[in-house]
Amino acid sequence: MKQLIKQPWLHQPLTEILFILLPPILCLLAIVLFPAVFASNKPVDEQWWLILVLLIDVAHVYSTLYHTYFNPVHLNGRKFLLWLIPMLAFVGAYSVYQYSPLLFWRLLAYTALYHFIRQQYGFLRLYSRREHHSPHWHRLVDNVTIYAATLYPVLYWHLTERNFNWFIQDDFLHWQQPWLKSAAFALYIIILSIYLVKEGLASVQGGRINIPKNMIILGSVISWYMGIVYFNGDLTFTLFNVVSHGIPYMALIWIMGKKQQQQSPKSMNNFLQKMYRIPLGPLCFLVSLFLLAYIEEGLWDVSLWQEHTSTFSLFHKFLGTMQNATVGIWVPLLTVPQLTHYILDGFIWKVRKMNV
């Protein structure tokens, strides 16, 4: 335990190991142990959709509420921003969707991609926040490596036909440039090699190895390369993409809320104080996210997708008249939580403003 204490943990080492650092590795382990389940031609069926998309991907969007709108300190500190962003998100989404639905989904896909990439960089910076003694070039190598770990697979995706999409078919652009794919892979290997050499030299020279930072790098390489490049299946991509992003994010929200409750309980309202204090707090936290995600997806299904009628039978029974006539309003409106989550994420995790 002494070694764990020396590491730059945010607050709860065991929780961080299990729910922030290990998810990509556990995804790979599951695929290795059960290859038939995750074969390339396996679609995301109803059961997997419920677990991965509804209970993780959509649910993690609403976890932002606990760090912003539900938290008096953060709400009062950014009240104007927190109410302005959803309104602007709707206006922007509505305008683009009326102009071109394909452009709407394409812009949303690239916005989501940017958000996913920046989350990995954010975790890297959180776990590197105490490396003030390290040379500047060490930080530069770290930054380049985390971006290489995420951007190379994305570039490969743009240069190679894949059996999956982000939201809808053709939401990402594609072009054929074999030379660029080869050059990008060579650069990718060089960058990862430089990072390994840098970490090896730091260890030999007596520097302390930053375990969580290195696991963030390793997890990013595993989830992005394996999910996009090595495997070519909708289910494997969704597993790596959703689990490696959504679970760590929800864990981070819980950890920081728990830390705030312990250090400054009076800064929270009674609801949050009780939730972070009671043994069943994590379950209450997750159930609230699942409920909000279920409502959103029910509205999505009845207004647009109509792919999970059995799961959302009540929505189809009482709102079955929501058809193409209102889709131009419902799509931008239902995108507001997602867009707000993407935008707010760029403001709420500034290390210098966090007590970590």
Side-chain angles (χ1 to χ4, degrees):
M1 190 64 184
K2 184 177 180 181
Q3 178 63 21
L4 287 178
I5 294 174
K6 292 181 179 179
Q7 296 295 321
W9 304 110
L10 302 174
H11 184 52
Q12 300 174 325
L14 182 59
T15 302
E16 293 169 50
I17 291 171
L18 292 176
F19 298 106
I20 293 179
L21 304 179
L22 283 183
I25 299 173
L26 295 178
C27 288
L28 181 59
L29 181 62
I31 294 172
V32 171
L33 293 178
F34 307 101
V37 176
F38 299 98
S40 294
N41 59 346
K42 287 284 186 178
V44 180
D45 59 22
E46 186 76 10
Q47 290 73 28
W48 280 112
W49 183 88
L50 284 172
I51 297 171
L52 298 177
V53 178
L54 179 65
L55 298 184
I56 300 178
D57 190 29
V58 181
H60 99 276
V61 168
Y62 287 97
S63 65
T64 305
L65 292 171
Y66 283 90
H67 200 70
T68 52
Y69 297 93
F70 294 170
N71 192 309
V73 172
H74 299 144
L75 176 60
N76 294 332
R78 300 184 177 93
K79 187 172 293 186
F80 178 76
L81 182 69
L82 291 180
W83 294 118
L84 178 64
I85 287 177
M87 292 187 289
L88 293 179
F90 174 73
V91 172
Y94 178 81
S95 302
V96 175
Y97 193 84
Q98 297 304 311
Y99 176 76
S100 169
L102 176 59
L103 179 62
F104 169 84
W105 288 110
R106 180 164 290 169
L107 290 176
L108 188 63
Y110 280 105
T111 303
L113 174 64
Y114 175 79
H115 165 71
F116 274 57
I117 292 173
R118 288 291 293 180
Q119 176 168 307
Q120 297 311 109
Y121 172 79
F123 273 118
L124 174 73
R125 294 270 54 90
L126 283 175
Y127 284 119
S128 303
R129 68 194 184 280
R130 296 178 183 171
E131 295 186 348
H132 306 298
H133 61 281
S134 299
H136 176 73
W137 72 272
H138 280 204
R139 175 170 175 165
L140 178 61
V141 171
D142 291 346
N143 293 347
V144 171
T145 302
I146 198 68
Y147 281 119
T150 52
L151 287 175
Y152 165 70
V154 171
L155 179 59
Y156 182 91
W157 189 350
H158 284 70
L159 299 173
T160 308
E161 291 295 330
R162 303 279 83 191
N163 294 329
F164 46 82
N165 305 291
W166 196 284
F167 290 123
I168 64 171
Q169 186 175 358
D170 296 326
D171 50 11
F172 277 2
L173 299 170
H174 292 90
W175 63 91
Q176 296 294 327
Q177 295 290 344
W179 68 268
L180 181 57
K181 185 164 60 174
S182 300
F185 180 71
L187 182 60
Y188 175 71
I189 295 300
I190 291 172
I191 292 172
L192 294 184
S193 300
I194 292 174
Y195 179 82
L196 290 174
V197 171
K198 186 263 291 183
E199 288 295 300
L201 290 175
S203 177
V204 170
Q205 295 171 358
R208 176 168 55 86
I209 296 298
N210 186 331
I211 294 175
K213 183 191 75 174
N214 279 283
M215 289 190 69
I216 289 293
I217 295 286
L218 176 62
S220 299
V221 171
I222 289 175
S223 60
W224 290 73
Y225 185 88
M226 292 295 177
I228 296 175
V229 179
Y230 188 83
F231 296 106
N232 187 22
D234 192 16
L235 180 56
T236 51
F237 166 71
T238 305
L239 179 72
F240 276 115
N241 190 44
V242 168
V243 171
S244 301
H245 177 82
I247 291 180
Y249 191 91
M250 288 188 284
L252 179 63
I253 293 287
W254 175 262
I255 288 168
M256 300 313 297
K258 182 76 171 178
K259 184 174 182 179
Q260 182 184 344
Q261 186 274 325
Q262 292 177 349
Q263 294 180 346
S264 181
K266 293 184 179 180
S267 66
M268 291 186 161
N269 55 42
N270 291 332
F271 166 71
L272 289 182
Q273 287 187 43
K274 292 178 180 179
M275 188 190 69
Y276 285 118
R277 192 167 55 236
I278 63 176
L280 292 179
L283 180 60
C284 295
F285 172 69
L286 292 175
V287 168
S288 68
L289 303 184
F290 298 160
L291 179 60
L292 291 169
Y294 182 79
I295 294 172
E296 180 191 316
E297 282 303 311
L299 293 173
W300 271 113
D301 200 71
V302 74
S303 63
L304 183 64
W305 304 123
Q306 300 181 14
E307 296 175 344
H308 308 282
T309 54
S310 60
T311 301
F312 303 108
S313 57
L314 289 177
F315 288 85
H316 285 275
K317 180 179 180 180
F318 293 103
L319 300 174
T321 57
M322 294 170 56
Q323 300 297 329
N324 293 334
T326 58
V327 71
I329 296 177
W330 277 107
V331 170
L333 184 63
L334 291 174
T335 308
V336 168
Q338 193 172 354
L339 283 172
T340 303
H341 165 70
Y342 293 160
I343 298 170
L344 285 180
D345 201 55
F347 296 95
I348 63 179
W349 299 118
K350 299 297 184 182
V351 173
R352 63 179 179 274
K353 296 181 180 180
M354 297 174 63
N355 184 23
V356 291

